[in-house]
Amino acid sequence: AQFEKVLEMDSSFMQASLILCPAYLRKRMPAEALATVEKALPQSGNWSSLRAMLAVVHAGSGRTSQAAEILEKLKKEGASVPLLSYWAAIIFNVLGDKEQALNWLEKACEDRIGFLVLLKVASGFRNLSQEPRFQAILKHIGMP
């Protein structure tokens, strides 16, 4: 509710959209998640993190081909997508591909992605918490 209010006050505050979309997905409100990210994308100048969130929304809504298509475009852009490895890990995990999600999390470690500090609390990775590779990643970044 607070992020909805933030967007009512300032619809250009893209970070609010990034937080609101997964909240909608967790509440089983995919239409609201899709509407939020689609409204924010043009205002953001097609920001790569919002495009990645669109892939997450599609993946979480069962539209796997759309999610995979967006991910492929982001991967082709490579270095111009600063958080690619982290977003790819999330997208693959939502798509149900744990192996690829872990591969990309390991790449995120190599890339020194700051968001990795959230791994223990990020709901998008809870299903991986008992995986030995996930535990090794946590240990590698100093989170026993």
Side-chain angles (χ1 to χ4, degrees), residues 116-144:
L116 291 175
V117 300
L118 301 173
L119 276 182
K120 281 189 131 177
V121 296
S123 63
F125 294 113
R126 283 190 188 131
N127 66 312
L128 300 177
S129 65
Q130 300 305 311
E131 297 286 332
R133 285 176 64 197
F134 188 81
Q135 291 298 317
I137 291 167
L138 289 176
K139 185 176 180 181
H140 178 76
I141 63 174
M143 295 184 152

Side-chain angles (χ1 to χ4, degrees), residues 71 88-104 125 127-128 133:
L71 179 56
I90 293 170
I91 295 164
F92 275 116
N93 198 40
V94 175
L95 287 170
D97 190 337
K98 289 182 182 181
E99 193 69 26
Q100 281 295 326
L102 290 164
N103 289 344
W104 282 95
F125 294 113
N127 66 312
L128 300 177
R133 285 176 64 197

